[in-house]
Amino acid sequence: MKFSPLTVFKDFSSFFPMVWAILRGRWKMPWATLFWALLCLAYVVSPVDLLPDVMPALGITDDGAFILLVLALLHKDLEAFRAARKNAKNALADEVSRPGKPDPK
């Protein structure tokens, strides 16, 4: 996966709708991705690191590598979320353009 500005923009614009869908129970996020995302957040915020952050270049390298790993995991889930949302919109558009038979009541 390449981290281009367009990819990052698409992922960022899809992230909050995906979180909202997860909170409402309309999208299931894999437990492994959720685990790694929470672990990454705790590691970046925590003062305990493998390489202390006071080292000019090396201190941030381990944090950056962990963040890139989690971004790659999230990218796969965000692509799946965008594809599912696109399919749902297409199904809704098909239903609106070709309505079924009316109820014989």
Side-chain angles (χ1 to χ4, degrees):
M1 178 185 114
K2 292 184 179 181
F3 285 107
S4 69
L6 180 61
T7 304
V8 172
F9 177 75
K10 284 189 339 188
D11 285 352
F12 185 75
S13 64
S14 298
F15 178 73
F16 293 107
M18 184 178 83
V19 170
W20 183 244
I22 290 169
L23 291 175
R24 291 188 326 190
R26 297 186 178 185
W27 181 256
K28 298 283 185 188
M29 183 178 213
W31 285 104
T33 305
L34 182 63
F35 169 77
W36 285 108
L38 292 176
L39 186 66
C40 179
L41 179 66
Y43 183 76
V44 170
V45 173
S46 171
V48 178
D49 280 343
L50 290 176
L51 299 173
D53 288 339
V54 295
M55 300 170 122
L58 293 176
I60 299 174
T61 305
D62 63 333
D63 293 343
F66 204 18
I67 290 170
L68 286 176
L69 170 73
V70 171
L71 285 177
L73 289 172
L74 278 174
H75 177 73
K76 292 176 184 176
D77 293 331
L78 287 166
E79 280 183 337
F81 176 73
R82 281 193 298 266
R85 208 163 83 174
K86 184 179 178 182
N87 288 340
K89 284 182 182 178
N90 288 342
L92 181 62
D94 287 345
E95 184 66 30
V96 170
S97 64
R98 293 182 307 205
K101 295 180 183 178
D103 284 339
K105 287 187 180 180

